[in-house]
Amino acid sequence: MKFKFKHTDKIVGFFLFTALVVLILSFVVIALSQKILVKKYEFQTRFKDAVGLSSTTVLKFKGFEIGKIKDFNLNEENLIDARIVVYEEYRNKIVVNSVINKSSNPLTGKSSLEFLQGPDWKDILPEGEYIPSLSMPEGQKLLEENIIQKEGDVIASVLTNIDNILYNLNQDNNADKGVIFRLLYNLANSSEVLNKDLNRMYELMGTMNTELQLTTGLLQETLISTRTTLENYQDPEGLLVKMIDPDRTDLITPLSQSLNQLNENLVQLDELLDFLNSRTPEFSTIILEGKNSLLAVQKTLEGINNNPLIRRGIPDDSKATDNNSKLRPKDF
Amino acid sequence: MLITEKMYRGFKDQFADIYQFLLFSVHIFRKIISFRRQRQARTLVLLRQILFTGFEALPLISFLALSIGGLIIIQGYNILENFGQSNLVFVILVTVVIRELSAILTALIVIARSGTAISTELGNMVINNEINLLLSLGISPVSYLVVSRVVGVVVALITLTIYFNLAALLGGWLFSTLFYPINFNYFFTQLFQQLAVTDIIISVLKSIFFGIGIALISSYQGLKVNIASTEVPQRTIKAVVSSIVFVVFADILITAIFYLL
Amino acid sequence: MNEILLSVKNVKWNSPEKEILKGIDLELVTDRISVLCGLEESGKSLLLKIIAGIEPPDQGSIIYDGVDLFNADEKRVLEIRKKLAFVFEDGVHLSNLIIRENLLLPFKYHYDKFDLNYLMSEINRYLKFFGIGNVMEERPAQISRSKLKLLAFIRAAITDPELIVIDNPLFNLELINQIQVLKFLQQLKDKHKTMLITSGSRDLIENLADELLIIKEGMITARISRSSSEFQSMLDNLELSDLKGV
């Protein structure tokens, strides 16, 4: 105790000094790691929305962090005006006709900014100028006119995104590590089942077809015999006619008219059956399409089911138990 | 007496007490501004306050911070790896430890150690006539005893908070190496990517306010002891309760202000 | 020439239960030792505290060098306080400081610079005078009460005040220490210090008092100068009724 009182000033001095050093060091490290002290060049850009943007969003060029977003706000035209700073060492990469692409990672909801360099590497864009983004017509135009290298870089950034997702999914001891394989496995399973069902459907359709054809044949036969009968009737020279209806006015002519009408109808029915017969392949197509839609739905459902962010998002309905009822019998 | 009347009197006393405390605080602040006067006598009190509140609390603070940092890493990894977002553990370490826990836990420890000590010591000084002795020597007890304690507690609290942060981050790293051999460099690069200067400023700012509050409340309660030694523990309890309430409210307020800005 | 150093004007002080000081008027004159006599609870210690600026009165004022101690700006009051020393009955010291720090505290607080060597030699001289060993590095709790009281006298002396207010100087002291204290007070008297002392010691009054003040139930009822003929007869014929109402 006496030691402490004798050397109070030294102990306290050391205590405070060390803390001060720690504090200053941390400020320095922060400044270095976040490039606070590096000279920065400011540029303007504009986006359709600010989804995923934050004050820590960085601007990348070919995977290198060349700058970051400084601030952004909603302007009168409901577009996002953003200010971007570029570190000194990458300042010369900012050339005329460059574009910024904002792409989002659907899993983290974070956006990354990709810098797409213009064609002329020597035509440096002055500080404070506007760099269009791909979400704006100016940027789209540059893309359409092939002024910027659209394919490579855009696809590369998409691939990077996919890569990110895969990386995130496979990282660490992730419970969802095997999600893609499980998804594929499930898909294979379900398509197998569907295939089986479809095969049965095809069989069914085949039977249906044959039966339809059979029915049509029968119908045609009936028609032919009916026609013969009618023909017979059309010229009734027989005794019966003479006996029953010598003038043909009371019975024969109306019957003949009815039969003629029936004949016409039968021809139409025949045509309808022919039409139906010819449509059978289209039914198959519809069923096939139905199958595809079902597959798509299944995929989506599985995707949702496996999505780590949504899964278990809907809680089970827990049944409330009445604890008191356990304490006493009901008839108490 | 009617209940309403009782309540009214209770509120009135409470407000009178708060008003008195505010007057006391204003007086102290004016004295702090003229702190350079009477340097020699106060420096000793100041140094001893820092020694007691700061240096002697260091082992406890370090132990607590190491464990908290470690626990956050353990729990954080467990939860976040299910999402495949174990990188977020750094964000949690920064927001939870540096912005929130460091200042408030250090403040709670300082309340437990120094807040109680200050109010007990000052209370006993009143009873032992030592406050009168100071007055007779022409020494203002407020400026001699309280001002140095306020400054001492604030300085000690800031320093302790810095050590707390350091220990918690180190603890986080040590524990994370138990699960995954994370490179020291990688860990701290990731961490400093997440850490903003404002985080440290918030942490320091909080400890300044907490320190002022704790020292003022404890001193005020201590000096409110009148004659009986039984008042000392009562006042100490009041000092602790009020200090905790103050710290929590101040924390909420400061955090809210920084989120609004 | 004797001047008025401090005047007490119509000082009243009430405890929650009763009136303790009922309007005291008093003047302390330079180069004179006034001894205040009274029973316990007569309010004499309280009056001393009020005069020393420790306890504010409910009413009335203490004027020192034209400055109202309880109604002036802090700087001027501080200047006055430097000229005034108070020795408590129990010789209290700050318990968390060692004796050396306790003795030097007023200097460290009031002055940026002071002659430490001179002060230390003065302190050592007094320590020798009172026969106290080297207690400079001890804490008050480690020292006997009588020594603490003697150390309180030393603290009062080294600040070289104009007015010394002493509450019951011989209280709690061994005979030899009492004799030393009386000698010490005589030395101060020789240095023309003004003093206000409460005491019930006949030795002290007979040897040192220039005037005797009788306080009875919160009022000063008598003020007798040594030169007056009543002085000796007052001492010889003091009765309970002089100090307490019936």
Side-chain angles (χ1 to χ4, degrees):
Chain A
M1 204 65 187
K2 272 202 168 168
F3 173 81
K4 265 187 193 164
F5 276 117
K6 247 186 183 168
H7 300 282
T8 302
D9 46 351
K10 282 169 209 149
I11 294 171
V12 169
F14 181 73
F15 174 69
L16 296 183
F17 180 74
T18 315
L20 197 68
V21 168
V22 169
L23 190 68
I24 291 170
L25 263 181
S26 60
F27 276 130
V28 170
V29 175
I30 290 173
L32 284 181
S33 68
Q34 299 185 1
K35 303 194 165 147
I36 287 171
L37 296 175
V38 173
K39 193 174 181 206
K40 293 175 199 103
Y41 296 86
E42 205 177 297
F43 295 94
Q44 315 282 329
T45 187
R46 195 169 280 181
F47 300 107
K48 273 223 163 109
D49 58 70
V51 176
L53 283 187
S54 76
S55 56
T56 53
T57 307
V58 295
L59 179 67
K60 285 192 169 178
F61 175 57
K62 297 199 183 289
F64 274 94
E65 185 189 328
I66 61 165
K68 62 179 183 179
I69 207 153
K70 194 179 177 191
D71 56 27
F72 53 95
N73 50 332
L74 190 67
N75 68 13
E76 287 168 358
E77 300 158 44
N78 290 338
L79 294 169
I80 309 302
D81 278 334
R83 285 194 291 170
I84 280 172
V85 287
V86 174
Y87 308 135
E88 191 173 21
E89 56 177 314
Y90 302 107
R91 193 256 168 280
N92 290 342
K93 301 284 177 201
I94 315 298
V95 297
V96 174
N97 285 336
S98 299
V99 174
I100 287 171
N101 180 32
K102 177 166 83 79
S103 50
S104 302
N105 180 340
L107 268 184
T108 58
K110 275 193 170 176
S111 284
S112 60
L113 296 176
E114 183 79 17
F115 177 73
L116 307 177
Q117 205 181 28
D120 191 351
W121 295 358
K122 283 174 186 162
D123 194 2
I124 289 165
L125 191 72
E127 198 190 343
E129 287 291 304
Y130 175 70
I131 309 172
S133 80
L134 264 188
S135 62
M136 300 303 295
E138 310 92 272
Q140 285 293 335
K141 208 178 136 198
L142 287 171
L143 195 70
E144 279 158 19
E145 288 171 2
N146 279 335
I147 292 172
I148 53 162
Q149 297 161 324
K150 165 194 164 188
E151 312 289 338
D153 284 9
V154 174
I155 288 175
S157 78
V158 171
L159 283 175
T160 316
N161 263 334
I162 293 173
D163 200 37
N164 268 341
I165 298 168
L166 286 174
Y167 172 74
N168 276 323
L169 276 173
N170 284 319
Q171 221 187 8
D172 310 332
N173 287 346
N174 196 338
D176 291 328
K177 192 173 183 176
V179 68
I180 290 174
F181 300 103
R182 270 189 280 135
L183 187 78
L184 290 172
Y185 175 76
N186 282 340
L187 252 176
N189 272 350
S190 34
S191 55
E192 210 168 286
V193 172
L194 258 173
N195 260 345
K196 239 189 239 169
D197 290 347
L198 277 174
N199 283 340
R200 277 173 59 195
M201 199 112 164
Y202 280 135
E203 272 170 33
L204 205 69
M205 289 299 291
T207 325
M208 232 168 96
N209 249 348
T210 343
E211 275 175 9
L212 266 174
Q213 267 164 4
L214 215 71
T215 320
T216 326
L218 280 172
L219 269 168
Q220 264 167 352
E221 269 172 36
T222 320
L223 278 173
I224 288 164
S225 60
T226 320
R227 192 168 287 163
T228 326
T229 321
L230 280 173
E231 271 165 12
N232 284 341
Y233 269 103
Q234 262 167 358
D235 190 20
E237 296 297 323
L239 184 69
L240 192 68
V241 177
K242 283 173 189 167
M243 277 168 59
I244 301 166
D245 193 6
D247 301 331
R248 296 191 185 186
T249 46
D250 296 333
L251 190 70
I252 301 294
T253 311
L255 182 65
S256 172
Q257 277 169 357
S258 312
L259 281 170
N260 272 336
Q261 274 179 0
L262 181 66
N263 194 14
E264 276 168 30
N265 290 346
L266 276 172
V267 172
Q268 278 178 8
L269 183 67
D270 192 23
E271 277 171 11
L272 187 72
L273 279 170
D274 271 348
F275 172 77
L276 259 177
N277 212 1
S278 68
R279 287 294 175 210
T280 318
E282 282 182 21
F283 279 123
S284 310
T285 324
I286 291 169
I287 287 164
L288 199 67
E289 278 175 8
K291 174 196 160 188
N292 284 340
S293 316
L294 276 171
L295 273 181
V297 169
Q298 198 199 359
K299 262 190 209 172
T300 316
L301 282 174
E302 187 140 359
I304 290 172
N305 196 31
N306 284 320
N307 190 321
L309 300 176
I310 308 175
R311 195 179 49 176
R312 292 194 214 117
I314 304 161
D316 294 337
D317 287 338
S318 56
K319 281 164 194 155
T321 48
D322 187 359
N323 288 332
N324 291 336
S325 63
K326 285 177 189 165
L327 296 175
R328 292 178 190 178
K330 268 184 182 166
D331 53 353
F332 180 72
Chain B
M1 203 193 289
L2 285 171
I3 291 177
T4 47
E5 199 182 333
K6 255 187 188 168
M7 275 170 67
Y8 168 72
R9 287 200 180 174
F11 277 126
K12 214 174 125 187
D13 287 352
Q14 201 74 41
F15 277 116
D17 202 34
I18 291 172
Y19 178 68
Q20 234 179 328
F21 175 70
L22 287 178
L23 284 182
F24 174 78
S25 307
V26 170
H27 185 70
I28 301 287
F29 280 122
R30 283 170 57 185
K31 291 281 179 186
I32 290 176
I33 292 166
S34 58
F35 187 63
R36 272 187 300 155
R37 277 182 61 86
Q38 302 108 26
R39 214 158 5 123
Q40 288 195 61
R42 281 170 176 183
T43 316
L44 190 68
V45 182
L46 177 66
L47 286 179
R48 287 203 180 148
Q49 192 62 49
I50 297 174
L51 181 79
F52 173 71
T53 307
F55 182 75
E56 288 180 9
L58 200 52
L60 179 60
I61 290 280
S62 310
F63 169 70
L64 187 73
L66 274 170
S67 331
I68 295 263
L71 287 171
I72 284 176
I73 289 282
I74 293 173
Q75 300 283 13
Y77 257 116
N78 270 339
I79 297 166
L80 290 171
E81 73 185 3
N82 285 337
F83 294 89
Q85 295 294 325
S86 48
N87 274 351
L88 284 178
V89 102
F90 299 106
V91 179
I92 292 185
L93 210 56
V94 166
T95 48
V96 173
V97 173
I98 295 184
R99 268 196 224 153
E100 268 310 318
L101 286 184
S102 64
I104 205 158
L105 283 181
T106 313
L108 289 180
I109 285 183
V110 168
I111 290 173
R113 291 185 79 253
S114 306
T116 51
I118 288 173
S119 73
T120 313
E121 190 184 2
L122 294 188
N124 283 329
M125 284 180 86
V126 174
I127 288 164
N128 292 341
N129 233 353
E130 292 177 37
I131 301 293
N132 282 343
L133 169 69
L134 285 173
L135 282 169
S136 80
L137 295 173
I139 296 173
S140 154
V142 163
S143 66
Y144 173 70
L145 296 172
V146 183
V147 170
S148 334
R149 277 173 173 75
V150 171
V151 177
V153 168
V154 169
V155 171
L157 198 53
I158 295 172
T159 318
L160 281 180
T161 308
I162 293 169
Y163 281 114
F164 187 100
N165 285 329
L166 187 72
L169 299 183
L170 274 176
W173 175 69
L174 279 175
F175 273 85
S176 68
T177 51
L178 293 180
F179 300 90
Y180 308 97
I182 294 181
N183 182 294
F184 181 84
N185 270 342
Y186 172 76
F187 184 91
F188 279 91
T189 332
Q190 282 285 314
L191 198 78
F192 278 107
Q193 283 290 334
Q194 298 295 340
L195 195 63
V197 175
T198 41
D199 292 328
I200 298 179
I201 291 175
I202 289 178
S203 182
V204 170
L205 203 70
K206 276 184 182 174
S207 36
I208 292 175
F209 278 99
F210 293 171
I212 292 174
I214 293 167
L216 279 181
I217 291 169
S218 307
S219 308
Y220 174 73
Q221 294 294 354
L223 289 177
K224 269 195 94 175
V225 169
N226 217 354
I227 22 172
S229 57
T230 46
E231 288 174 67
V232 177
Q234 289 171 359
R235 288 288 163 191
T236 305
I237 291 167
K238 258 194 175 168
V240 169
V241 172
S242 312
S243 297
I244 291 175
V245 171
F246 170 84
V247 163
V248 171
F249 271 105
D251 192 29
I252 293 171
L253 204 69
I254 295 170
T255 310
I257 288 171
F258 266 90
Y259 269 100
L260 288 177
L261 281 179
Chain C
M1 185 61 202
N2 289 351
E3 296 166 7
I4 293 171
L5 186 65
L6 177 141
S7 46
V8 178
K9 287 184 176 162
N10 192 30
V11 162
K12 290 182 181 171
W13 197 94
N14 304 317
S15 76
E17 291 86 30
K18 64 172 195 176
E19 220 178 357
I20 307 256
L21 297 181
K22 302 168 181 170
I24 301 246
D25 286 289
L26 180 69
E27 271 142 16
L28 295 182
V29 178
T30 50
D31 197 10
R32 186 183 281 185
I33 295 182
S34 309
V35 177
L36 194 61
C37 278
L39 290 177
E40 53 277 23
E41 291 180 21
S42 59
K44 55 182 170 31
S45 289
L46 179 64
L47 180 62
L48 249 57
K49 281 183 184 171
I50 292 174
I51 288 172
I54 296 169
E55 184 74 40
D58 289 333
Q59 204 183 314
S61 52
I62 310 293
I63 312 288
Y64 191 112
D65 263 3
V67 177
D68 185 344
L69 277 186
F70 293 101
N71 210 357
D73 71 286
E74 215 181 344
K75 250 186 186 172
R76 294 187 71 182
V77 175
L78 198 70
E79 285 304 310
I80 300 292
R81 287 276 184 76
K82 288 185 198 169
K83 301 179 193 169
L84 210 147
F86 189 96
V87 180
F88 286 87
E89 193 174 27
D90 54 359
V92 64
H93 292 261
L94 290 184
S95 51
N96 56 2
L97 298 181
I98 57 172
I99 295 301
R100 182 169 46 81
E101 290 164 344
N102 259 300
L103 294 181
L104 296 178
L105 182 64
F107 297 94
K108 286 193 169 179
Y109 188 84
H110 293 302
Y111 307 102
D112 281 337
K113 272 186 185 170
F114 55 88
D115 190 346
L116 184 64
N117 288 335
Y118 170 74
L119 273 178
M120 289 313 286
S121 69
E122 278 289 282
I123 289 170
N124 284 328
R125 190 169 66 79
Y126 282 119
L127 285 179
K128 233 181 207 167
F129 176 79
F130 284 119
I132 306 172
N134 190 8
V135 290
M136 294 298 271
E137 303 300 317
E138 309 275 323
R139 285 176 169 256
Q142 296 168 299
I143 303 173
S144 72
R145 281 176 174 261
S146 57
K147 273 184 188 169
L148 286 178
K149 182 143 188 177
L150 298 175
L151 286 165
F153 282 116
I154 298 176
R155 181 175 54 210
I158 57 174
T159 51
D160 195 26
E162 280 179 358
L163 171 67
I164 306 173
V165 181
I166 307 172
D167 193 3
N168 219 345
L170 303 182
F171 179 73
N172 246 354
L173 289 179
E174 297 298 328
L175 179 63
I176 180 67
N177 287 335
Q178 289 191 19
I179 294 167
Q180 285 306 101
V181 167
L182 287 176
K183 280 186 193 163
F184 169 78
L185 293 176
Q186 187 61 53
Q187 281 179 17
L188 291 178
K189 187 181 179 176
D190 296 342
K191 285 183 184 173
H192 306 288
K193 299 287 176 197
T194 312
M195 284 187 257
L196 175 65
I197 301 171
T198 66
S199 182
S201 158
R202 187 176 176 131
D203 272 354
L204 189 141
I205 297 167
E206 275 185 338
N207 290 322
L208 290 167
D210 291 315
E211 63 175 352
L212 187 63
L213 303 166
I214 305 290
I215 184 166
K216 178 179 164 187
E217 294 179 345
M219 300 279 283
I220 291 194
T221 50
R223 184 174 185 172
I224 305 141
S225 167
R226 179 183 279 275
S227 51
S228 138
S229 56
E230 288 170 63
F231 189 82
Q232 200 57 42
S233 65
M234 185 76 184
L235 275 184
D236 293 338
N237 305 313
L238 197 65
E239 292 202 6
L240 190 62
S241 60
D242 292 326
L243 300 172
K244 193 176 179 181
V246 181

